[in-house]
Amino acid sequence: MTTQPTAVQHAVETVESHLHPVASYDLADHALPTGREEVWRFTPLKRLRGLLDGEPSEAHLKVELEGPASVRVRELSTDDAVSLGGTAPADLPAALAVARSGGALLLDVPAEAELDQPIVLRLTGTSIDETVWGHVVVRVGAHAKATVVIEHTGSARYAASVQVIVGDNAQLDFASLQLWDDDAVHLGHVGIQVGRDAQVRSFQASLGGDLVRLVESAEYTGPGGEIVMYGVYFVDAGQHIEHRLLVDHNAPHTRSNVDYRGALQGDGAHSVWVGNVLIRKVAEGIETYESNRNLVLTDGARADSVPNLEIETGEIKGAGHASTTGRFDDEQLFYLCSRGVPPELAKRLVVHGFFADIVRRLGVPEVEQRLMAALEAELAENVGLPPAGVA
Amino acid sequence: MATLDIRDLHVSVDTDDGAKEILRGVDLTVRSGETHAIMGPNGSGKSTLAYSIAGHPRYQVTTGTVTLDGVDVLDMSVDARARAGLFLAMQYPVEVPGVSVSNFLRTAKTALDGEAPKLRTWVKEMGAALDALGMDREFAQRNVNEGFSGGEKKRNEIAQLELLNPRFAILDETDSGLDIDALKVVSEGVNRFSAQGDRGVLLITHYTRILRYIRPDFVHVFVAGRVAEQGGAELAERLEAEGYDRYTKAASTS
Ligand SMILES: Nc1ncnc2c1ncn2[C@@H]1O[C@H](COP(=O)(O)OP(=O)(O)OP(=O)(O)O)[C@@H](O)[C@H]1O
Ligand SMILES: [Mg+2]
């Protein structure tokens, strides 16, 4: 790794930030991007396939639900969905998604329900020629405990607003898997509200698609809440994967921990990670740490990684961040090879480990296995590494 | 019988001021069945010798040879050296996040043998190796060296030695940082390895303490990048009493 973790004082500290525009349902509040804006400067707008034009579309992703019988998906009118009070869209694609979707899907976990099985919402696109607007609301009632997985496969030009509303003292493990076909485009916003003393773990995995650009935000509706945001991405030749995070510490004694890891291989593979943490004046006694690590496997790939901390109060427990981008660690490879493991296999073990370290924390074995298999396949396909004897 | 032969080995490392020579003509022969101890002051090049034999990319061999039964080792990749029968227990074993000890060792074993070990016997073997080094079996599921204490890392190196069972083992300060119980356990592991009769050991150490448990057939004094003197086990006792002073003085005036 070439970059060392930087101390908090090296972070960009500005009070008025242009990095996270005000969230709004009103389309007029979201100007059409030109590519010069700070938040759009990394994104190749041409490859959005006209999604930002906002043309109306009746098309939907195919919806399948798996999980405990007690939980259903309901369709709601847009007005009813908005009145649930989730985080408003952070950017134009998400605002368009709410405005054009013609209604929302609501996954409702009642207060005090303890689900012993994950809820898996499978969303499948049929063709890149279809524009699809999506609006999904996940609501977890107070004191409830649930695991929710949203899985995206197939192909589409998809923009979505996903609102996750977590009640007081609830526990949610939430995962969003982007396992699209090669040509898919996926934009949008996942906005998470963390209730008082609630614990939320969010997990984003972006492997497929031609272009994926997701904004993930978290804010607190009371003190004492905790959000953990994990993410993994694997970027191949020509692929653009962009994750923009915002943790808004708007309540005291809240905690956040961000850990995103990516691997890149092939010509024109491009990842963008922007991690914004805002610590407001009221947010005394909070604790935050964010980290992004990128493993560049071949020449011609590029990883942009930008952590930002904005601190309006000094009365905090701790704040820090780290960002590293680099090649394989020579010492690790030497150690493995010195035991007889061929270098290509050693590299594979290291990449596998790099991801497994985080995927294992998901705690949903089926999804963990699927993800690790998908990551393995990425490695085999492009670097041409032989199959690992990995468990 | 096998022979590891080091002849006139010169090794440099790249520094900001250009190449810096660290090994300056090392001659050393280890035959199977023999245990050699290498002792010498800090910075004299002991780890450099160990790493160079194992093939660490940081070290450039400028002249000299290392052969295993007459076959050129320096020409081999790091993994090929291991498959040829060399093993290095490192002074500072490396952490490999996300890779479990069990997975790592099974992959190594498969690479060394050319076929995967039978799952049931393997689990037993690995468990036994950990038991023998006084390590809880849960270490098999932990990530390689991650969060291990200094002593646990060293035990893990010797557990690997026993499991992978090479022809020649180079142990770089395996005894440093061990408490007295761990020292005994680790020494017993090395002795079980040697007791097979046809294995060679090159033991790098600062302390005669370990030589009470592992009897060396030969002791080499390593100073300023070469072997300054050699003798039997009694040489270690003398070094303990007298230190390296007279060798370092001799080296700096030569
Ligand atoms: N990259 C480097 N640049 C400059 N000097 C180096 C580099 N790598 C090693 N050296 C120097 O080479 C010398 C030999 O180092 P080595 O680690 O082999 O010593 P050692 O005998 O194992 O010491 P110790 O007993 O402390 O383990 C030291 O003086 C060390 O500082
Ligand atoms: Mg050393």
Side-chain angles (χ1 to χ4, degrees):
Chain A
M1 298 280 161
T2 50
T3 328
Q4 289 307 307
T6 39
V8 49
Q9 60 266 29
H10 295 136
V12 179
E13 286 173 31
T14 46
V15 174
E16 277 293 305
S17 176
H18 54 286
L19 294 175
H20 36 85
V22 176
S24 168
Y25 288 100
D26 190 348
L27 292 177
D29 288 336
H30 302 282
L32 190 68
T34 62
R36 289 188 297 275
E37 299 80 0
E38 177 59 32
V39 295
W40 287 100
R41 70 183 173 102
F42 291 114
T43 317
L45 296 180
K46 282 202 191 80
R47 281 162 58 189
L48 303 186
R49 295 185 179 240
L51 201 48
L52 295 181
D53 299 346
E55 68 171 77
S57 167
E58 297 293 301
H60 289 285
L61 301 179
K62 192 174 95 189
V63 179
E64 288 165 286
L65 184 75
E66 202 179 281
S70 57
V71 178
R72 296 258 68 91
V73 211
R74 266 198 292 146
E75 289 184 26
L76 284 185
S77 73
T78 300
D79 285 347
D80 286 349
V82 167
S83 71
L84 295 176
T87 306
D91 62 6
L92 180 60
L96 282 169
V98 172
R100 304 272 189 268
S101 60
L105 286 176
L106 171 68
L107 255 175
D108 214 3
V109 179
E112 291 178 29
E114 289 209 12
L115 306 184
D116 49 4
Q117 245 182 302
I119 305 165
V120 183
L121 184 65
R122 287 184 221 285
L123 302 177
T124 312
T126 48
S127 160
I128 184 63
D129 297 325
E130 254 169 4
T131 292
V132 182
W133 306 109
H135 186 184
V136 178
V137 184
V138 176
R139 185 169 64 171
V140 180
H143 304 285
K145 193 174 169 210
T147 298
V148 174
V149 179
I150 300 182
E151 193 180 287
H152 303 92
T153 55
S155 191
R157 276 181 274 179
Y158 183 57
S161 162
V162 177
Q163 298 172 304
V164 180
I165 305 167
V166 184
D168 292 350
N169 214 33
Q171 275 180 49
L172 171 68
D173 283 349
F174 172 79
S176 175
L177 315 180
Q178 287 67 247
L179 305 174
W180 298 106
D181 290 348
D182 287 345
D183 55 357
V185 173
H186 182 183
L187 307 178
H189 174 207
V190 179
I192 303 172
Q193 286 179 343
V194 183
R196 180 187 185 110
D197 296 322
Q199 284 176 29
V200 181
R201 282 199 305 178
S202 164
F203 190 98
Q204 292 280 343
S206 298
L207 303 183
D210 176 64
L211 188 149
V212 173
R213 182 188 186 278
L214 295 175
V215 177
E216 189 184 13
S217 70
E219 60 186 341
Y220 302 85
T221 51
E226 176 180 65
I227 177 101
V228 173
M229 289 172 161
Y230 291 139
V232 295
Y233 46 89
F234 202 118
V235 194
D236 293 326
Q239 221 181 352
H240 178 96
I241 292 187
E242 180 167 351
H243 285 278
R244 311 185 70 93
L245 311 181
L246 166 64
V247 180
D248 186 350
H249 279 280
N250 57 346
H253 303 289
T254 50
R255 290 178 304 281
S256 65
N257 181 7
V258 174
D259 191 341
Y260 264 66
R261 299 186 189 183
L264 298 93
Q265 62 183 358
D267 241 9
H270 188 195
S271 71
V272 179
W273 179 88
V274 179
N276 295 321
V277 175
L278 173 58
I279 303 171
R280 293 185 192 260
K281 256 205 179 63
V282 297
E284 296 195 346
I286 67 101
E287 217 176 335
T288 175
Y289 193 82
E290 54 168 356
S291 154
N292 173 230
R293 291 205 268 156
N294 294 293
L295 204 48
V296 180
L297 305 180
T298 67
D299 290 333
R302 174 170 152 203
D304 285 297
S305 178
V306 190
N308 293 297
L309 262 174
E310 302 170 22
I311 305 179
E312 295 178 6
T313 173
E315 304 297 309
I316 59 172
K317 254 185 156 166
H321 64 179
S323 161
T324 60
T325 295
R327 298 268 178 170
F328 282 106
D329 182 321
D330 286 342
E331 297 304 320
Q332 286 179 5
L333 290 185
F334 173 73
Y335 189 74
L336 297 173
C337 292
S338 79
R339 300 305 186 241
V341 180
E344 293 310 298
L345 189 50
K347 285 182 184 174
R348 205 173 158 134
L349 274 177
V350 168
V351 181
H352 184 96
F354 177 68
F355 285 124
D357 205 25
I358 254 204
V359 172
R360 267 186 213 136
R361 300 181 207 168
L362 188 58
V364 188
E366 307 91 280
V367 179
E368 287 174 22
Q369 279 159 23
R370 268 205 71 187
L371 262 183
M372 287 317 294
L375 288 163
E376 281 285 316
E378 293 273 352
L379 270 173
E381 200 179 308
N382 292 282
V383 178
L385 299 180
V390 288
Chain B
M1 202 185 73
T3 306
L4 177 65
D5 204 26
I6 300 156
R7 284 286 141 251
D8 191 32
L9 191 68
H10 289 253
V11 170
S12 305
V13 291
D14 274 338
T15 71
D16 292 340
D17 312 321
K20 174 180 168 191
E21 181 163 71
I22 297 174
L23 299 189
R24 306 159 184 217
V26 179
D27 290 301
L28 194 65
T29 303
V30 184
R31 294 185 183 79
S32 47
E34 297 175 352
T35 296
H36 294 242
I38 292 188
M39 305 184 75
N42 293 129
S44 56
K46 303 179 300 297
S47 292
T48 302
L49 176 64
Y51 276 127
S52 303
I53 298 170
H56 194 292
R58 190 167 52 232
Y59 302 93
Q60 279 97 47
V61 175
T62 49
T63 39
T65 57
V66 177
T67 56
L68 187 59
D69 287 339
V71 179
D72 183 8
V73 166
L74 299 178
D75 203 32
M76 299 179 193
S77 61
V78 175
D79 53 309
R81 295 180 197 206
R83 290 195 296 274
L86 297 177
F87 178 93
L88 169 61
M90 287 178 214
Q91 185 172 359
Y92 304 108
V94 182
E95 300 188 359
V96 192
V99 179
S100 71
V101 167
S102 144
N103 188 6
F104 165 48
L105 289 177
R106 194 153 53 85
T107 309
K109 185 74 173 165
T110 305
L112 291 171
D113 293 356
E115 60 177 343
K118 297 247 173 346
L119 200 59
R120 282 194 45 203
T121 48
W122 171 248
V123 170
K124 264 193 214 152
E125 251 182 81
M126 196 171 56
L130 292 174
D131 291 349
L133 270 300
M135 297 173 76
D136 194 296
R137 287 191 179 205
E138 67 119 39
F139 275 96
Q141 300 319 317
R142 285 178 60 178
N143 292 337
V144 175
N145 292 320
E146 197 179 53
F148 288 23
S149 73
E152 286 163 353
K153 285 181 182 167
K154 298 304 179 75
R155 289 177 196 240
N156 183 34
E157 293 290 282
I158 301 308
Q160 290 176 43
L161 170 70
E162 289 205 78
L163 262 177
L164 304 179
N165 200 13
R167 292 199 285 167
F168 286 94
I170 303 161
L171 312 177
D172 191 0
E173 296 200 24
T174 301
D175 54 333
S176 326
L178 294 183
D179 63 35
I180 194 72
D181 293 335
L183 183 70
K184 262 177 94 170
V185 166
V186 159
S187 302
E188 283 163 11
V190 177
N191 287 335
R192 279 191 299 272
F193 170 75
S194 306
Q196 298 173 94
D198 56 351
R199 310 286 138 150
V201 174
L202 192 59
L203 178 87
I204 297 170
T205 182
H206 282 291
Y207 309 104
T208 48
R209 196 173 64 140
I210 192 171
L211 302 181
R212 282 180 222 134
Y213 300 101
I214 302 172
R215 290 302 291 177
D217 303 298
F218 304 92
V219 173
H220 309 265
V221 185
F222 208 79
V223 179
R226 59 163 75 93
V227 177
E229 185 171 5
Q230 35 199 330
E234 74 293 341
L235 180 54
E237 305 297 337
R238 208 173 79 208
L239 289 172
E240 176 108 313
E242 298 174 11
Y244 300 114
D245 259 12
R246 63 179 164 136
Y247 302 106
T248 46
K249 280 195 191 109
S252 60
T253 54
S254 70

